[in-house]
Amino acid sequence: MQSEAVKGLGRLRNAAILSFATSLLSLPSLGLFGGPESLAEDPFALLAALIWVLLFGLAILALGVAAWVFKVLGWWSMCRSGMRRFYCATRLAVLLGPVIGVALLIVGGAALFLEALRSGARVGGEPSPLPEESALAYVLPGLLVMAVANVVEGVSALDVGLITEVKALALGAAIYLVASLLQPVQLLASAFSSAALLGGARGWWSWVSSAVSLLASLLLAVGFHWARDRVIQSEAQREAAGTA
């Protein structure tokens, strides 16, 4: 059903716009306050930084949830359109991937905390941080589940771009696939400070990952909009040919 495809592409466009805004707000902003040293010396700057992080954190969370809802609804419509049966699997991946991933991260974080407490109790002192290699095992499953869901979504977006012959959408989907693979590394780099992961390049890596996500979201927003126009034009031409 072409109407469902139009509806789905419009929702996916809105999701990409919200994802673009989320990535924009997620850009590193600590430098605006002069760095950790100046924050430690200036209580007012520290308070401003905390308020900044709180407000932007809430905004990022709200935008992220809204983008996720639009994605689920968009791929639901694409599934109902009958263009590809694979889009129905994409709908499930987009719906369940983040939920399962976050649940695994919460369980892994709780297990990591309990393991740290047990480790401290065994040595008779304060809880000591576990080696990052051990901590990685607790958070990696959740990150991998979310990454797999993003890869499935990226493959479907690429397929839509190829079907509708919208190069911007195909390119955006390809970049989105790259961003999906970079995201777990970025999250791990933010969570751990050891040189075993990225060494001194953590800040640089975060900027690169954020820039890739921004570009992917922008191209996806434009691409889904153009694909929607293509489907509308195709439907109009089909109706005109049928009445001729």
Side-chain angles (χ1 to χ4, degrees):
M1 295 182 291
Q2 296 295 332
S3 60
E4 288 293 337
V6 172
K7 186 187 301 182
L9 292 171
R11 290 169 171 173
L12 292 175
R13 174 202 58 198
N14 295 340
I17 293 174
L18 292 173
S19 295
F20 178 83
T22 302
S23 298
L24 192 62
L25 291 178
S26 299
L27 289 174
S29 57
L30 187 60
L32 295 176
F33 300 96
E37 294 79 7
S38 61
L39 291 179
E41 298 173 357
D42 189 349
F44 294 101
L46 177 60
L47 177 61
L50 292 176
I51 295 176
W52 174 281
V53 171
L54 177 61
L55 293 178
F56 272 74
L58 293 176
I60 290 171
L61 177 61
L63 288 173
V65 171
W68 173 67
V69 171
F70 271 111
K71 285 182 180 182
V72 173
L73 294 177
W75 289 113
W76 184 284
S77 295
M78 295 299 292
C79 170
R80 295 182 61 185
S81 71
M83 292 178 63
R84 284 276 197 272
R85 293 180 61 87
F86 181 67
Y87 298 161
C88 296
T90 304
R91 172 199 62 186
L92 294 177
V94 172
L95 173 64
L96 300 178
V99 175
I100 296 175
V102 171
L104 289 175
L105 287 177
I106 294 175
V107 172
L112 180 62
F113 177 73
L114 293 177
E115 181 64 24
L117 289 179
R118 285 195 296 265
S119 176
R122 283 195 297 266
V123 298
E126 294 294 329
S128 58
L130 296 174
E132 290 179 357
E133 292 77 7
S134 301
L136 183 62
Y138 289 95
V139 299
L140 191 57
L143 296 179
L144 288 179
V145 168
M146 290 188 288
V148 169
N150 290 337
V151 169
V152 173
E153 181 189 2
V155 170
S156 294
L158 178 61
D159 185 65
V160 174
L162 296 176
I163 291 177
T164 57
E165 298 182 349
V166 177
K167 295 181 179 179
L169 180 54
L171 178 60
I175 297 176
Y176 181 79
L177 288 172
V178 175
S180 300
L181 298 176
L182 290 178
Q183 188 178 35
V185 181
Q186 179 189 8
L187 293 175
L188 291 175
S190 301
F192 303 109
S193 58
S194 170
L197 288 174
L198 292 175
R202 289 194 305 143
W204 173 84
W205 186 269
S206 296
W207 277 100
V208 171
S209 181
S210 298
V212 172
S213 297
L214 276 172
L215 180 59
S217 299
L218 178 60
L219 289 173
L220 287 175
V222 174
F224 279 125
H225 181 74
W226 288 351
R228 179 177 177 272
D229 289 344
R230 290 280 182 90
V231 173
I232 293 175
Q233 292 173 3
S234 175
E235 179 65 18
Q237 292 174 357
R238 185 178 296 106
E239 291 179 356
T243 57

